[in-house]
Amino acid sequence: MDSEIMTRAIVVWTGWGRTPWPDRDEVSLVAEFGPELAVGVLSEVRRLEDEFYSSEASRAALDLKAMGEQAAAEFRETHPEIGEEAVQALAWSYTFDFK
């Protein structure tokens, strides 16, 4: 899937910049991409989120900031094609869930 689409999809799905906490809103994906594309996009977004959440940062980092930075750095290494805004959205979600 196109990296620009995936970057935008992660941002939309998480609610980054739009909601006070991670939202993971499938309806927003449909509104943004249409029903057909949203199905494939959602599957890939969830896969990428699972990869991000496979980080051990939640167990190893000393604080939330370090946790988010470590998990984001690991993700960037394996997925350089994903834009920084999406990486930040995933880090925001990750630190929110493990606070």
Side-chain angles (χ1 to χ4, degrees), residues 7-89:
T7 295
R8 181 71 190 140
I10 290 168
V11 170
V12 168
W13 183 69
T14 61
W16 174 251
R18 184 176 47 85
T19 61
W21 53 80
D23 191 25
R24 294 173 180 92
D25 184 13
E26 295 173 21
V27 174
S28 292
L29 281 180
V30 173
E32 181 80 16
F33 298 105
E36 286 183 31
L37 183 55
V39 171
V41 165
L42 179 59
S43 172
E44 185 66 7
V45 165
R46 286 185 173 151
R47 186 186 71 74
L48 290 169
E49 182 192 44
D50 286 346
E51 282 190 42
F52 196 99
Y53 275 62
S54 71
S55 172
E56 294 292 320
S58 65
R59 293 180 192 89
L62 298 176
D63 57 33
L64 285 176
K65 184 176 187 310
M67 181 192 322
E69 289 171 354
Q70 179 182 333
E74 292 169 6
F75 186 81
R76 278 187 209 99
E77 245 180 66
T78 57
H79 291 286
E81 76 281 5
I82 301 298
E84 186 59 25
E85 189 177 15
V87 175
Q88 292 303 311

Side-chain angles (χ1 to χ4, degrees), residues 20-22 24 53 64 67 91-99:
W21 53 80
R24 294 173 180 92
Y53 275 62
L64 285 176
M67 181 192 322
W92 171 63
S93 298
Y94 183 80
T95 57
F96 185 88
D97 290 345
F98 287 108
K99 65 179 178 178

